[in-house]
Amino acid sequence: MAAAIEIGGVTVQATQGATLTTTTGDIVNSTIEGSTVALTAGNNISNTAVEALTTADLTATAGILDASVVAGTTATLGAALIADSSVFAGTDATLTAAQIAGTAVTALNDAALTGAVLSANAISAGNDATLTGTVQVVGNTVDAAATA
């Protein structure tokens, strides 16, 4: 599904892959399920639930806000801001943003958060948890079975 400006208020249940893309706008108030799920927004992904049997890939130019992501294997999120969201990955979770705040991340293998500011996140990893902040890493709770 593709739109120039906004995709909003949709429910997508795909037996195979589900791909939603906006060139300049948001993906909002939506639920997307599929064997793989890929969301690309020219602005924000907000108030959106994603459930993927294998991989979930979310990319937003501005923010990923108040999102719920469940991936059977890997979850990959990238944006300028990731906030107030939850991520579960059956294997690895990778989040990259200038700012990541108030987000719960659970990965049964590795969890990696990279950004300038990492603040008030809860990270649980079955193996390694890696937090790389170039400016500030503060108020995060990390639980890792191996290396944190």
Side-chain angles (χ1 to χ4, degrees):
M1 179 180 295
I5 298 180
E6 182 174 299
I7 296 173
V10 299
T11 298
V12 176
Q13 294 176 313
T15 55
Q16 304 224 349
T19 302
L20 282 70
T21 304
T22 64
T23 53
T24 60
D26 299 338
I27 299 173
V28 297
N29 303 326
S30 297
T31 301
I32 300 94
E33 299 175 358
S35 59
T36 61
V37 175
L39 305 181
T40 304
N43 198 34
N44 291 313
I45 297 171
S46 63
N47 195 30
T48 296
V50 170
E51 191 173 310
L53 292 176
T54 57
T55 61
D57 294 310
L58 283 70
T59 304
T61 302
I64 298 173
L65 314 167
D66 193 27
S68 170
V69 179
V70 176
T73 56
T74 60
T76 306
L77 285 70
L81 169 66
I82 299 172
D84 300 322
S85 297
S86 66
V87 178
F88 172 85
T91 55
D92 299 330
T94 304
L95 284 68
T96 306
Q99 298 177 335
I100 304 173
T103 295
V105 178
T106 302
L108 298 184
N109 191 38
D110 294 339
L113 281 68
T114 304
V117 176
L118 309 177
S119 177
N121 299 293
I123 299 96
S124 176
N127 191 38
D128 294 337
T130 306
L131 280 69
T132 306
T134 57
V135 175
Q136 185 179 49
V137 177
V138 63
N140 297 285
T141 302
V142 180
D143 182 13
T147 304

